[in-house]
Amino acid sequence: MTGTARWWASVDLGRAPADTPVAFCADLGPDSLLAGYRAGAFPMPAQDEYGLWMNEARYEEEVAEGAIALPAGAGEEAYGVAWWSPDPRPVVPVGGARLGSRLSRRLRNRDDWTTTADKAFGEVVDRCAEGRSPAWLTPELRTALRTLHARGRAHSIEVWDGGELVGGAFGVRVGPVLSLDSMVGLRPDAARVAVVDLAQRFGESGGVLLDVQWDSPHVRSLGAVPMPRGEYRALLDEGPPASPPPGEERPVSRLG
């Protein structure tokens, strides 16, 4: 365990802010990344030096007061990565993910689409990073995610049209929770298919819910509901661990 991972183990987010960063920590190595997720936080790296400076200018007083955590001796570079833990947390119970009736009907006739798990993790991550603003999926973060995938702690769902990747989603698994970092749709509805397929597969492996991190009308339409942060964090600590989602190829029409 790295020094930063040990620091994360000491961070108590019980009284952390509900709608601002709860910590600043520039270490995005795989051990620190997983420890941050275990604590109930997820990272949002700044796009550039200006973003780092803005974080410091906006939140340095809260850091000085101890309301926002910062590793001892980290220096101003720590402000380059903000860690968030919204309260309440939007989550999708594995049995509550929804396609919608119209999409379900369309999928019944879509024999050319299939899904897999963990077949193209790196490609899904890279696709999620393309053209996004803010560009939070930095090369350093993507490298750490690939390492966690190699360790069996980060997972992806792929949506295929024949041999072409048309959508996907990925996240980090902690206990019975999979923290859904990002999704991508290269065809209409493919991202939604990926999330619902992930929920079903994760449920089969003993998972309880997907953490979708940021609330929005879109994630509500997928089945997200608010969960108090304390309840969410207790589930990370006490819930039974899930296994990796089963990875075999499945027809998308089965989701309909």
Side-chain angles (χ1 to χ4, degrees), residues 30-54:
D31 292 335
S32 177
L33 185 60
L34 185 58
Y37 280 100
R38 282 183 177 138
F42 56 88
M44 291 293 293
Q47 294 190 74
D48 49 32
E49 288 294 320
Y50 178 74
L52 182 155
W53 178 84
M54 285 296 295

PDB file of all heavy atoms in Angstrom, residues 30-54:
ATOM      1  N   PRO A  30      -2.577   3.545  -9.342  1.00  0.00           N
ATOM      2  CA  PRO A  30      -3.673   2.593  -9.143  1.00  0.00           C
ATOM      3  C   PRO A  30      -4.020   2.351  -7.683  1.00  0.00           C
ATOM      4  O   PRO A  30      -5.200   2.195  -7.348  1.00  0.00           O
ATOM      5  CB  PRO A  30      -3.176   1.319  -9.833  1.00  0.00           C
ATOM      6  CG  PRO A  30      -1.694   1.502  -9.976  1.00  0.00           C
ATOM      7  CD  PRO A  30      -1.463   2.961 -10.105  1.00  0.00           C
ATOM      8  N   ASP A  31      -3.028   2.327  -6.784  1.00  0.00           N
ATOM      9  CA  ASP A  31      -3.325   2.094  -5.371  1.00  0.00           C
ATOM     10  C   ASP A  31      -4.089   3.268  -4.774  1.00  0.00           C
ATOM     11  O   ASP A  31      -5.064   3.087  -4.036  1.00  0.00           O
ATOM     12  CB  ASP A  31      -2.041   1.851  -4.585  1.00  0.00           C
ATOM     13  CG  ASP A  31      -1.364   0.540  -4.953  1.00  0.00           C
ATOM     14  OD1 ASP A  31      -2.065  -0.372  -5.429  1.00  0.00           O
ATOM     15  OD2 ASP A  31      -0.145   0.435  -4.767  1.00  0.00           O
ATOM     16  N   SER A  32      -3.652   4.483  -5.089  1.00  0.00           N
ATOM     17  CA  SER A  32      -4.349   5.668  -4.595  1.00  0.00           C
ATOM     18  C   SER A  32      -5.736   5.763  -5.190  1.00  0.00           C
ATOM     19  O   SER A  32      -6.712   6.097  -4.498  1.00  0.00           O
ATOM     20  CB  SER A  32      -3.549   6.932  -4.939  1.00  0.00           C
ATOM     21  OG  SER A  32      -4.240   8.100  -4.532  1.00  0.00           O
ATOM     22  N   LEU A  33      -5.865   5.462  -6.467  1.00  0.00           N
ATOM     23  CA  LEU A  33      -7.159   5.539  -7.140  1.00  0.00           C
ATOM     24  C   LEU A  33      -8.157   4.588  -6.482  1.00  0.00           C
ATOM     25  O   LEU A  33      -9.281   4.979  -6.150  1.00  0.00           O
ATOM     26  CB  LEU A  33      -6.984   5.203  -8.616  1.00  0.00           C
ATOM     27  CG  LEU A  33      -8.210   5.347  -9.515  1.00  0.00           C
ATOM     28  CD1 LEU A  33      -8.725   6.772  -9.521  1.00  0.00           C
ATOM     29  CD2 LEU A  33      -7.881   4.885 -10.938  1.00  0.00           C
ATOM     30  N   LEU A  34      -7.754   3.348  -6.265  1.00  0.00           N
ATOM     31  CA  LEU A  34      -8.658   2.385  -5.652  1.00  0.00           C
ATOM     32  C   LEU A  34      -8.983   2.783  -4.213  1.00  0.00           C
ATOM     33  O   LEU A  34     -10.138   2.645  -3.766  1.00  0.00           O
ATOM     34  CB  LEU A  34      -8.039   0.988  -5.689  1.00  0.00           C
ATOM     35  CG  LEU A  34      -8.915  -0.155  -5.188  1.00  0.00           C
ATOM     36  CD1 LEU A  34     -10.216  -0.243  -5.968  1.00  0.00           C
ATOM     37  CD2 LEU A  34      -8.157  -1.477  -5.256  1.00  0.00           C
ATOM     38  N   ALA A  35      -8.004   3.304  -3.489  1.00  0.00           N
ATOM     39  CA  ALA A  35      -8.251   3.734  -2.110  1.00  0.00           C
ATOM     40  C   ALA A  35      -9.242   4.888  -2.067  1.00  0.00           C
ATOM     41  O   ALA A  35     -10.079   4.964  -1.163  1.00  0.00           O
ATOM     42  CB  ALA A  35      -6.934   4.132  -1.436  1.00  0.00           C
ATOM     43  N   GLY A  36      -9.157   5.806  -3.024  1.00  0.00           N
ATOM     44  CA  GLY A  36     -10.112   6.901  -3.079  1.00  0.00           C
ATOM     45  C   GLY A  36     -11.520   6.407  -3.315  1.00  0.00           C
ATOM     46  O   GLY A  36     -12.473   6.864  -2.670  1.00  0.00           O
ATOM     47  N   TYR A  37     -11.686   5.449  -4.219  1.00  0.00           N
ATOM     48  CA  TYR A  37     -13.009   4.863  -4.461  1.00  0.00           C
ATOM     49  C   TYR A  37     -13.515   4.162  -3.203  1.00  0.00           C
ATOM     50  O   TYR A  37     -14.704   4.237  -2.885  1.00  0.00           O
ATOM     51  CB  TYR A  37     -12.955   3.889  -5.628  1.00  0.00           C
ATOM     52  CG  TYR A  37     -12.996   4.542  -6.989  1.00  0.00           C
ATOM     53  CD1 TYR A  37     -11.839   4.730  -7.735  1.00  0.00           C
ATOM     54  CD2 TYR A  37     -14.193   4.954  -7.536  1.00  0.00           C
ATOM     55  CE1 TYR A  37     -11.879   5.326  -8.981  1.00  0.00           C
ATOM     56  CE2 TYR A  37     -14.247   5.542  -8.788  1.00  0.00           C
ATOM     57  CZ  TYR A  37     -13.077   5.733  -9.507  1.00  0.00           C
ATOM     58  OH  TYR A  37     -13.111   6.328 -10.741  1.00  0.00           O
ATOM     59  N   ARG A  38     -12.626   3.461  -2.516  1.00  0.00           N
ATOM     60  CA  ARG A  38     -13.036   2.775  -1.284  1.00  0.00           C
ATOM     61  C   ARG A  38     -13.528   3.773  -0.241  1.00  0.00           C
ATOM     62  O   ARG A  38     -14.415   3.465   0.554  1.00  0.00           O
ATOM     63  CB  ARG A  38     -11.871   1.975  -0.714  1.00  0.00           C
ATOM     64  CG  ARG A  38     -11.606   0.661  -1.425  1.00  0.00           C
ATOM     65  CD  ARG A  38     -10.492  -0.092  -0.741  1.00  0.00           C
ATOM     66  NE  ARG A  38     -10.255  -1.386  -1.353  1.00  0.00           N
ATOM     67  CZ  ARG A  38      -9.040  -1.882  -1.593  1.00  0.00           C
ATOM     68  NH1 ARG A  38      -7.962  -1.185  -1.307  1.00  0.00           N
ATOM     69  NH2 ARG A  38      -8.912  -3.065  -2.138  1.00  0.00           N
ATOM     70  N   ALA A  39     -12.933   4.968  -0.222  1.00  0.00           N
ATOM     71  CA  ALA A  39     -13.355   5.993   0.728  1.00  0.00           C
ATOM     72  C   ALA A  39     -14.685   6.624   0.343  1.00  0.00           C
ATOM     73  O   ALA A  39     -15.296   7.327   1.144  1.00  0.00           O
ATOM     74  CB  ALA A  39     -12.276   7.078   0.841  1.00  0.00           C
ATOM     75  N   GLY A  40     -15.111   6.409  -0.906  1.00  0.00           N
ATOM     76  CA  GLY A  40     -16.372   6.967  -1.376  1.00  0.00           C
ATOM     77  C   GLY A  40     -16.223   8.179  -2.257  1.00  0.00           C
ATOM     78  O   GLY A  40     -17.192   8.913  -2.474  1.00  0.00           O
ATOM     79  N   ALA A  41     -15.026   8.404  -2.808  1.00  0.00           N
ATOM     80  CA  ALA A  41     -14.767   9.575  -3.649  1.00  0.00           C
ATOM     81  C   ALA A  41     -14.322   9.136  -5.035  1.00  0.00           C
ATOM     82  O   ALA A  41     -13.910   7.995  -5.243  1.00  0.00           O
ATOM     83  CB  ALA A  41     -13.691  10.459  -3.014  1.00  0.00           C
ATOM     84  N   PHE A  42     -14.415  10.056  -5.995  1.00  0.00           N
ATOM     85  CA  PHE A  42     -13.927   9.791  -7.343  1.00  0.00           C
ATOM     86  C   PHE A  42     -13.201  11.041  -7.853  1.00  0.00           C
ATOM     87  O   PHE A  42     -13.519  12.162  -7.455  1.00  0.00           O
ATOM     88  CB  PHE A  42     -15.061   9.389  -8.294  1.00  0.00           C
ATOM     89  CG  PHE A  42     -16.188  10.383  -8.382  1.00  0.00           C
ATOM     90  CD1 PHE A  42     -16.146  11.429  -9.295  1.00  0.00           C
ATOM     91  CD2 PHE A  42     -17.305  10.272  -7.565  1.00  0.00           C
ATOM     92  CE1 PHE A  42     -17.182  12.343  -9.389  1.00  0.00           C
ATOM     93  CE2 PHE A  42     -18.352  11.181  -7.650  1.00  0.00           C
ATOM     94  CZ  PHE A  42     -18.292  12.215  -8.562  1.00  0.00           C
ATOM     95  N   PRO A  43     -12.209  10.884  -8.753  1.00  0.00           N
ATOM     96  CA  PRO A  43     -11.348  12.010  -9.136  1.00  0.00           C
ATOM     97  C   PRO A  43     -11.852  12.765 -10.360  1.00  0.00           C
ATOM     98  O   PRO A  43     -12.450  12.194 -11.268  1.00  0.00           O
ATOM     99  CB  PRO A  43     -10.017  11.323  -9.453  1.00  0.00           C
ATOM    100  CG  PRO A  43     -10.438   9.995 -10.029  1.00  0.00           C
ATOM    101  CD  PRO A  43     -11.693   9.596  -9.278  1.00  0.00           C
ATOM    102  N   MET A  44     -11.563  14.075 -10.348  1.00  0.00           N
ATOM    103  CA  MET A  44     -11.809  14.927 -11.511  1.00  0.00           C
ATOM    104  C   MET A  44     -10.550  15.779 -11.724  1.00  0.00           C
ATOM    105  O   MET A  44     -10.423  16.865 -11.156  1.00  0.00           O
ATOM    106  CB  MET A  44     -13.029  15.812 -11.296  1.00  0.00           C
ATOM    107  CG  MET A  44     -14.348  15.064 -11.273  1.00  0.00           C
ATOM    108  SD  MET A  44     -14.777  14.329 -12.875  1.00  0.00           S
ATOM    109  CE  MET A  44     -15.064  15.785 -13.862  1.00  0.00           C
ATOM    110  N   PRO A  45      -9.590  15.289 -12.521  1.00  0.00           N
ATOM    111  CA  PRO A  45      -8.385  16.074 -12.769  1.00  0.00           C
ATOM    112  C   PRO A  45      -8.683  17.375 -13.513  1.00  0.00           C
ATOM    113  O   PRO A  45      -9.563  17.422 -14.387  1.00  0.00           O
ATOM    114  CB  PRO A  45      -7.525  15.144 -13.640  1.00  0.00           C
ATOM    115  CG  PRO A  45      -8.059  13.769 -13.360  1.00  0.00           C
ATOM    116  CD  PRO A  45      -9.524  13.951 -13.130  1.00  0.00           C
ATOM    117  N   ALA A  46      -7.950  18.426 -13.163  1.00  0.00           N
ATOM    118  CA  ALA A  46      -8.067  19.695 -13.871  1.00  0.00           C
ATOM    119  C   ALA A  46      -7.530  19.539 -15.288  1.00  0.00           C
ATOM    120  O   ALA A  46      -6.623  18.734 -15.548  1.00  0.00           O
ATOM    121  CB  ALA A  46      -7.298  20.783 -13.133  1.00  0.00           C
ATOM    122  N   GLN A  47      -8.087  20.316 -16.214  1.00  0.00           N
ATOM    123  CA  GLN A  47      -7.653  20.215 -17.611  1.00  0.00           C
ATOM    124  C   GLN A  47      -6.267  20.785 -17.835  1.00  0.00           C
ATOM    125  O   GLN A  47      -5.555  20.356 -18.735  1.00  0.00           O
ATOM    126  CB  GLN A  47      -8.648  20.945 -18.519  1.00  0.00           C
ATOM    127  CG  GLN A  47     -10.016  20.319 -18.574  1.00  0.00           C
ATOM    128  CD  GLN A  47     -10.866  20.940 -19.660  1.00  0.00           C
ATOM    129  OE1 GLN A  47     -10.679  20.697 -20.853  1.00  0.00           O
ATOM    130  NE2 GLN A  47     -11.824  21.763 -19.259  1.00  0.00           N
ATOM    131  N   ASP A  48      -5.876  21.791 -17.023  1.00  0.00           N
ATOM    132  CA  ASP A  48      -4.628  22.498 -17.280  1.00  0.00           C
ATOM    133  C   ASP A  48      -4.190  23.236 -16.018  1.00  0.00           C
ATOM    134  O   ASP A  48      -4.818  23.129 -14.955  1.00  0.00           O
ATOM    135  CB  ASP A  48      -4.799  23.489 -18.451  1.00  0.00           C
ATOM    136  CG  ASP A  48      -6.050  24.360 -18.292  1.00  0.00           C
ATOM    137  OD1 ASP A  48      -6.430  24.676 -17.139  1.00  0.00           O
ATOM    138  OD2 ASP A  48      -6.655  24.725 -19.324  1.00  0.00           O
ATOM    139  N   GLU A  49      -3.104  24.007 -16.130  1.00  0.00           N
ATOM    140  CA  GLU A  49      -2.588  24.749 -14.991  1.00  0.00           C
ATOM    141  C   GLU A  49      -3.588  25.788 -14.495  1.00  0.00           C
ATOM    142  O   GLU A  49      -3.663  26.071 -13.289  1.00  0.00           O
ATOM    143  CB  GLU A  49      -1.269  25.441 -15.375  1.00  0.00           C
ATOM    144  CG  GLU A  49      -0.106  24.490 -15.543  1.00  0.00           C
ATOM    145  CD  GLU A  49       0.294  23.829 -14.234  1.00  0.00           C
ATOM    146  OE1 GLU A  49       0.282  24.525 -13.197  1.00  0.00           O
ATOM    147  OE2 GLU A  49       0.603  22.623 -14.251  1.00  0.00           O
ATOM    148  N   TYR A  50      -4.354  26.353 -15.399  1.00  0.00           N
ATOM    149  CA  TYR A  50      -5.356  27.333 -14.981  1.00  0.00           C
ATOM    150  C   TYR A  50      -6.405  26.673 -14.091  1.00  0.00           C
ATOM    151  O   TYR A  50      -6.821  27.248 -13.076  1.00  0.00           O
ATOM    152  CB  TYR A  50      -6.032  27.949 -16.208  1.00  0.00           C
ATOM    153  CG  TYR A  50      -7.121  28.938 -15.862  1.00  0.00           C
ATOM    154  CD1 TYR A  50      -6.817  30.206 -15.372  1.00  0.00           C
ATOM    155  CD2 TYR A  50      -8.468  28.592 -16.010  1.00  0.00           C
ATOM    156  CE1 TYR A  50      -7.822  31.109 -15.047  1.00  0.00           C
ATOM    157  CE2 TYR A  50      -9.479  29.490 -15.692  1.00  0.00           C
ATOM    158  CZ  TYR A  50      -9.146  30.747 -15.217  1.00  0.00           C
ATOM    159  OH  TYR A  50     -10.136  31.636 -14.881  1.00  0.00           O
ATOM    160  N   GLY A  51      -6.831  25.460 -14.445  1.00  0.00           N
ATOM    161  CA  GLY A  51      -7.783  24.752 -13.617  1.00  0.00           C
ATOM    162  C   GLY A  51      -7.220  24.458 -12.235  1.00  0.00           C
ATOM    163  O   GLY A  51      -7.934  24.560 -11.228  1.00  0.00           O
ATOM    164  N   LEU A  52      -5.946  24.080 -12.174  1.00  0.00           N
ATOM    165  CA  LEU A  52      -5.289  23.857 -10.882  1.00  0.00           C
ATOM    166  C   LEU A  52      -5.311  25.131 -10.051  1.00  0.00           C
ATOM    167  O   LEU A  52      -5.658  25.111  -8.864  1.00  0.00           O
ATOM    168  CB  LEU A  52      -3.853  23.371 -11.114  1.00  0.00           C
ATOM    169  CG  LEU A  52      -2.983  23.033  -9.898  1.00  0.00           C
ATOM    170  CD1 LEU A  52      -1.902  22.032 -10.292  1.00  0.00           C
ATOM    171  CD2 LEU A  52      -2.331  24.262  -9.273  1.00  0.00           C
ATOM    172  N   TRP A  53      -4.934  26.233 -10.675  1.00  0.00           N
ATOM    173  CA  TRP A  53      -4.903  27.510  -9.962  1.00  0.00           C
ATOM    174  C   TRP A  53      -6.293  27.898  -9.477  1.00  0.00           C
ATOM    175  O   TRP A  53      -6.458  28.386  -8.346  1.00  0.00           O
ATOM    176  CB  TRP A  53      -4.344  28.597 -10.883  1.00  0.00           C
ATOM    177  CG  TRP A  53      -4.329  29.946 -10.237  1.00  0.00           C
ATOM    178  CD1 TRP A  53      -3.373  30.449  -9.417  1.00  0.00           C
ATOM    179  CD2 TRP A  53      -5.335  30.958 -10.349  1.00  0.00           C
ATOM    180  NE1 TRP A  53      -3.712  31.715  -8.998  1.00  0.00           N
ATOM    181  CE2 TRP A  53      -4.911  32.060  -9.554  1.00  0.00           C
ATOM    182  CE3 TRP A  53      -6.544  31.061 -11.041  1.00  0.00           C
ATOM    183  CZ2 TRP A  53      -5.658  33.225  -9.443  1.00  0.00           C
ATOM    184  CZ3 TRP A  53      -7.292  32.214 -10.917  1.00  0.00           C
ATOM    185  CH2 TRP A  53      -6.853  33.283 -10.136  1.00  0.00           C
ATOM    186  N   MET A  54      -7.311  27.672 -10.286  1.00  0.00           N
ATOM    187  CA  MET A  54      -8.669  28.004  -9.879  1.00  0.00           C
ATOM    188  C   MET A  54      -9.110  27.165  -8.684  1.00  0.00           C
ATOM    189  O   MET A  54      -9.778  27.664  -7.761  1.00  0.00           O
ATOM    190  CB  MET A  54      -9.631  27.800 -11.041  1.00  0.00           C
ATOM    191  CG  MET A  54      -9.563  28.890 -12.106  1.00  0.00           C
ATOM    192  SD  MET A  54     -10.069  30.507 -11.450  1.00  0.00           S
ATOM    193  CE  MET A  54     -11.791  30.198 -11.073  1.00  0.00           C
TER     194      MET A  54
END
